Amino acid sequence: MNENYRKKKQPELVRAALLEAAAEVIVEKGLSGLTLDAVAERAGVSKGGLIHHFASKQVLLEELNREILGEYENFISGYIAADPEPRGSFIRAYIRSFFSQSKFKDATKLFMAFTFEMSHNEPLHILCGEWYANLVEKHGEMQNSPKAQMIQYAADGLWMEECTGLVSVSPAERQAIVDYLIQQTYEL
Amino acid sequence: MNENYRKKKQPELVRAALLEAAAEVIVEKGLSGLTLDAVAERAGVSKGGLIHHFASKQVLLEELNREILGEYENFISGYIAADPEPRGSFIRAYIRSFFSQSKFKDATKLFMAFTFEMSHNEPLHILCGEWYANLVEKHGEMQNSPKAQMIQYAADGLWMEECTGLVSVSPAERQAIVDYLIQQTYEL
DNA sequence: TGACAAAAACCGACCAGACGGTATGATTAT
DNA sequence: ATAATCATACCGTCTGGTCGGTTTTTGTCA
């Protein structure tokens, strides 16, 4: 007779806790370490409860991916709206969103896990593809000068480095690079 | 009475085939799809044979990682040696090596899998860390102006995009970006 | 408003297959 | 003869998913 029976039902909270737990497991143990048991235990829910909210592991993955994609889209939209200079605003928002405070811990690593996973997970790949296409369509066409592309690629590279933790760049140095990239977007 | 008993023993070839097979499995099914059975079958070797060459799955991973790191180091060294202009030669080599013909198919995806894996696989992380430190030491200190760092980050981003296959950039456009990055390294 | 049926939320035991790894034996190379 | 190279059979554990049951919530109707 588990106490979760007695507790007030709050399915939305449980669902959120499960997503959060899944994110943590992925970051800590990788996608190969993501098991339903681990997620359920970490969220304080039984496996049956987990499967009630997410019919399968694949569904759990897709929902989690949808979650972080939605978060990034909100970040980007917000930054663009707050930017007085329309020229290059998308790239600036793109850069800034990477360093925004996500509700998921180590969101960059999480994002990277999906980035690789989708290369051999068709539904996930489609999901991300549509998301990106929709993003571009919503915020107008992108700058596609070599320099603009270089800046955007650099943001990706910077983000990736944060995942690896290999080259130890101090926070100050990192901020300096980000500032430099932002500054460059005004000189397209 | 398997035919591999009868065949002439060529342990080095078998070992190479196993690494190659492991690489293919990782690219096609991800690290969560990497199983000893799959690797053994693809290489045409029994599981016992596999375990004879690589004592465990972890060892197999580390050896494969060592292999591709060695390959990249060779690429970089070669490009630096062939570069008449010493200034920025490391960054140019860094860029070019990403688009060199590796002996592993889809080496970029393979590399990316390791890049994420090492964030929660301590031995792998140490391995990569030492490799990178050694690389930097061997080829002199790096350029660390904001612009130089931006170019290097952009190379990472470009490489990452090739893994995702999301934004469809034509080979010509890709080459144009690479050329642009190379060109920029002469203006540090 | 209250009874009550249906649906939603959740648990816990269970299963079939997959997985990493071991043990042992067969064959070849040195 | 000894070591190296492989195959085969096997084991304990883990994993994704199923199933039936229990409690709570919600909708309905008198």
Side-chain angles (χ1 to χ4, degrees):
Chain A
M1 211 67 67
N2 189 287
E3 59 177 26
N4 282 13
Y5 269 150
R6 293 291 158 79
K7 274 198 296 193
K8 190 166 179 293
K9 308 273 189 190
Q10 294 174 306
E12 288 307 319
L13 289 186
V14 172
R15 188 190 143 92
L18 285 168
L19 286 174
E20 171 69 28
E24 288 177 14
V25 171
I26 291 176
V27 167
E28 287 178 21
K29 319 205 172 188
L31 272 162
S32 47
L34 177 70
T35 67
L36 297 184
D37 290 288
V39 173
E41 184 186 358
R42 186 176 290 243
V45 179
S46 70
K47 200 180 199 174
L50 164 57
I51 230 64
H52 170 74
H53 284 278
F54 305 97
S56 71
K57 191 179 177 180
Q58 174 70 18
V59 168
L60 174 63
L61 265 185
E62 291 175 15
E63 293 297 305
L64 180 56
N65 196 20
R66 223 184 292 270
E67 199 82 11
I68 58 178
L69 289 182
E71 215 189 20
Y72 272 87
E73 184 171 341
N74 287 340
F75 284 147
I76 290 179
S77 297
Y79 284 123
I80 288 182
D83 198 328
E85 169 62 43
R87 188 160 177 77
S89 62
F90 178 82
I91 298 187
R92 278 190 293 280
Y94 187 83
I95 297 171
R96 289 174 173 140
S97 63
F98 277 146
F99 306 98
S100 298
Q101 183 59 37
S102 165
K103 66 175 153 185
F104 296 110
K105 197 162 64 163
D106 286 314
T108 56
K109 288 186 183 179
L110 186 59
F111 212 135
M112 183 153 190
F114 280 115
T115 300
F116 175 64
E117 175 70 11
M118 83 182 164
S119 77
H120 45 81
N121 188 326
E122 191 64 13
L124 228 53
H125 190 268
I126 293 174
L127 191 67
C128 291
E130 289 176 348
W131 174 81
Y132 192 78
N134 181 271
L135 193 72
V136 171
E137 188 201 11
K138 184 183 288 180
H139 300 295
E141 83 260 48
M142 302 178 51
Q143 313 283 344
N144 54 3
S145 68
K147 182 170 181 179
Q149 292 190 14
M150 176 177 69
I151 297 172
Q152 191 169 347
Y153 283 132
D156 288 335
L158 196 54
W159 159 64
M160 203 182 65
E161 190 200 51
E162 191 170 323
C163 296
T164 68
L166 266 194
V167 189
S168 53
V169 179
S170 71
E173 287 173 311
R174 173 176 301 276
Q175 189 58 48
I177 303 279
V178 174
D179 292 341
Y180 179 77
L181 290 182
I182 296 287
Q183 175 208 326
Q184 291 297 312
T185 64
Y186 289 107
E187 302 169 13
L188 294 178
Chain B
M1 210 68 66
N2 189 286
E3 59 177 25
N4 282 14
Y5 270 150
R6 294 289 161 78
K7 275 197 293 195
K8 189 166 181 291
K9 307 276 189 188
Q10 293 175 308
E12 289 305 320
L13 290 186
V14 172
R15 188 190 144 92
L18 285 167
L19 287 174
E20 171 70 29
E24 289 177 14
V25 171
I26 291 176
V27 168
E28 287 178 21
K29 319 205 172 187
L31 272 162
S32 46
L34 178 70
T35 68
L36 297 184
D37 289 288
V39 173
E41 185 187 357
R42 186 176 290 245
V45 180
S46 71
K47 200 191 220 173
L50 164 56
I51 229 64
H52 169 73
H53 285 278
F54 304 97
S56 70
K57 190 179 178 179
Q58 174 70 18
V59 169
L60 174 63
L61 265 183
E62 291 175 15
E63 292 297 304
L64 180 56
N65 196 18
R66 223 182 293 270
E67 198 82 11
I68 58 177
L69 290 182
E71 216 189 17
Y72 272 88
E73 184 171 341
N74 286 340
F75 283 147
I76 290 179
S77 297
Y79 284 122
I80 289 181
D83 197 328
E85 170 62 45
R87 188 162 177 76
S89 62
F90 178 81
I91 299 187
R92 280 190 293 279
Y94 187 82
I95 298 171
R96 289 176 174 139
S97 63
F98 277 146
F99 306 98
S100 298
Q101 185 58 37
S102 167
K103 67 174 154 184
F104 296 110
K105 198 163 57 168
D106 286 315
T108 56
K109 289 185 182 178
L110 187 58
F111 212 134
M112 184 153 188
F114 280 115
T115 300
F116 175 64
E117 175 70 11
M118 84 183 164
S119 77
H120 45 82
N121 189 325
E122 191 65 12
L124 229 51
H125 190 269
I126 293 174
L127 191 66
C128 290
E130 289 176 348
W131 174 82
Y132 192 78
N134 182 270
L135 193 71
V136 170
E137 188 201 10
K138 184 182 292 182
H139 300 294
E141 82 261 48
M142 302 178 51
Q143 312 284 344
N144 54 3
S145 68
K147 183 170 180 179
Q149 292 191 13
M150 177 177 68
I151 296 172
Q152 191 169 348
Y153 283 132
D156 288 335
L158 195 55
W159 160 66
M160 201 183 67
E161 190 200 50
E162 192 170 322
C163 297
T164 68
L166 266 195
V167 190
S168 54
V169 179
S170 70
E173 287 173 312
R174 174 175 301 277
Q175 189 57 49
I177 303 280
V178 173
D179 291 342
Y180 180 78
L181 291 181
I182 297 286
Q183 176 208 325
Q184 290 297 310
T185 64
Y186 289 108
E187 302 169 14
L188 294 176

